Amino acid sequence: MKVFKKATALLGSVLLLTTLFSATASAAEEKRFDFKDGNYVTISNVVSTKKVEDVGYGDTKYVVQAPATVTFHGKLSEETQVARWDDLESIGLVDIKDGKAVLTESAEFGYGVFPVFEGQARGDNKPILLDVVGGGAAAPADEVKAPEPEAHAVTQAGPVAAAPTAAKVIVDGKAVAFEAYNIDGNNYFKLRDLAMAVNGTGKSFAVGWDAAKNAISVTAGQAYTAEGGELTASAELAARQATPTSAKVYVGGKEAAFTAYNIGGNNYFKLRDVAKAIDFGVTWNAEANAIGIDTKVSYTE
């Protein structure tokens, strides 16, 4: 599964420039990034760095002079991607051939390198954020000017792109069809679909809605009452726009910090947020391209 495929332009739009470049090198150089199990990534023509707002991907963005080569040292999972953010609605993907991706031109909101090596799960490695500048001969770092802050940058409150989740979903050993989406590398499911899928197990939970308070309630340990339409998946899904859900969520009477989006009139919740609140296991099998939900075990990060 390409977990970041058309995932979102959110990252590029929320990385607001907070400081100017720090001149860390007098000329372009190759930089190495070490990851788990001896795997690493090298990036050529790094000329400087700048600090950005940390929205979960670190606060450092590396400035590289085009053409720059991203080289992956280690056997890659198919989830590895180099994403290019050209606008706020979608992303492009840079071809990775023989473990290398070549960056030849700038992108309005920069690039993200998402390394996932064989035997690793998505999220094991932090992405590397890049800005590509210029072309031809490398320029000294002190000649590289910081770009102006993006005039159209938005915060996390803005709409993002959601791509259909291509992975299979296995619940307690059985395949279950969900209509799910991937946003920023995370899978989002309808809350009622999840409640229906685990109903009758030790991790059953009830879902309630209070229109007057614009609030969703989740009660662990109670049977779920179906409303109709749960676990109904469209034959062909397309990329959609997702907007943050305004409703509050209460788990066991206490307000919970769930990440949720409204897509096509339905609320979608981050799978791991729900799993953590209800305490069921979530796994990822890259070889089988499958998400596992296991109600017999507790949630682990």
Side-chain angles (χ1 to χ4, degrees), residues 102-188:
V102 180
L103 311 182
T104 59
E105 54 189 358
S106 62
E108 184 174 1
F109 298 115
Y111 290 79
V113 178
F114 298 90
V116 185
F117 295 94
E118 190 174 72
Q120 296 179 349
R122 58 185 175 81
D124 278 358
N125 301 320
K126 283 267 189 177
I128 305 165
L129 307 178
L130 303 174
D131 268 340
V132 176
V133 296
D142 57 4
E143 293 181 10
V144 180
K145 304 299 183 181
E148 294 296 322
E150 291 87 347
H152 302 293
V154 297
T155 67
Q156 288 176 309
V160 298
T165 295
K168 297 176 291 186
V169 183
I170 309 298
V171 180
D172 290 341
K174 296 182 179 179
V176 178
F178 286 88
E179 190 164 294
Y181 287 87
N182 190 287
I183 300 173
D184 195 24
N186 294 294
N187 290 300
Y188 287 75

Side-chain angles (χ1 to χ4, degrees), residues 38-269:
N39 300 301
Y40 64 99
V41 172
T42 56
I43 299 176
S44 69
N45 288 349
V46 177
V47 295
S48 191
T49 62
K50 65 180 178 179
K51 292 297 182 182
V52 295
E53 183 178 348
D54 187 352
V55 293
Y57 297 94
D59 64 356
T60 301
K61 211 171 189 183
Y62 296 87
V63 183
V64 299
Q65 185 80 25
T69 301
V70 179
T71 305
F72 299 91
H73 301 267
K75 193 168 184 180
L76 294 179
S77 162
E78 64 176 2
E79 295 187 44
T80 296
Q81 291 197 354
V82 178
R84 168 182 172 148
W85 289 281
D86 290 307
D87 54 50
L88 300 181
E89 299 298 329
S90 61
I91 66 173
L93 299 177
V94 180
D95 288 338
I96 301 173
K97 186 176 181 180
D98 297 326
K100 295 182 179 181
V102 180
L103 311 182
T104 59
E105 54 189 358
S106 62
E108 184 174 1
F109 298 115
Y111 290 79
V113 178
F114 298 90
V116 185
F117 295 94
E118 190 174 72
Q120 296 179 349
R122 58 185 175 81
D124 278 358
N125 301 320
K126 283 267 189 177
I128 305 165
L129 307 178
L130 303 174
D131 268 340
V132 176
V133 296
D142 57 4
E143 293 181 10
V144 180
K145 304 299 183 181
E148 294 296 322
E150 291 87 347
H152 302 293
V154 297
T155 67
Q156 288 176 309
V160 298
T165 295
K168 297 176 291 186
V169 183
I170 309 298
V171 180
D172 290 341
K174 296 182 179 179
V176 178
F178 286 88
E179 190 164 294
Y181 287 87
N182 190 287
I183 300 173
D184 195 24
N186 294 294
N187 290 300
Y188 287 75
F189 291 71
K190 294 177 187 177
L191 188 61
R192 291 187 177 276
D193 281 357
L194 289 172
M196 176 67 84
V198 302
N199 201 31
T201 72
K203 302 300 171 68
S204 295
F205 63 95
V207 177
W209 166 246
D210 188 328
K213 295 181 179 179
N214 190 32
I216 299 166
S217 63
V218 175
T219 308
Q222 290 189 4
Y224 173 70
T225 301
E227 290 198 341
E230 290 88 348
L231 297 176
T232 301
S234 302
E236 293 186 7
L237 294 178
R240 305 284 294 275
Q241 188 177 75
T243 56
T245 296
S246 61
K248 293 183 178 180
V249 181
Y250 293 87
V251 179
K254 297 182 179 180
E255 188 171 356
F258 276 25
T259 304
Y261 289 92
N262 189 287
I263 303 173
N266 293 298
N267 289 317
Y268 286 76
F269 292 78

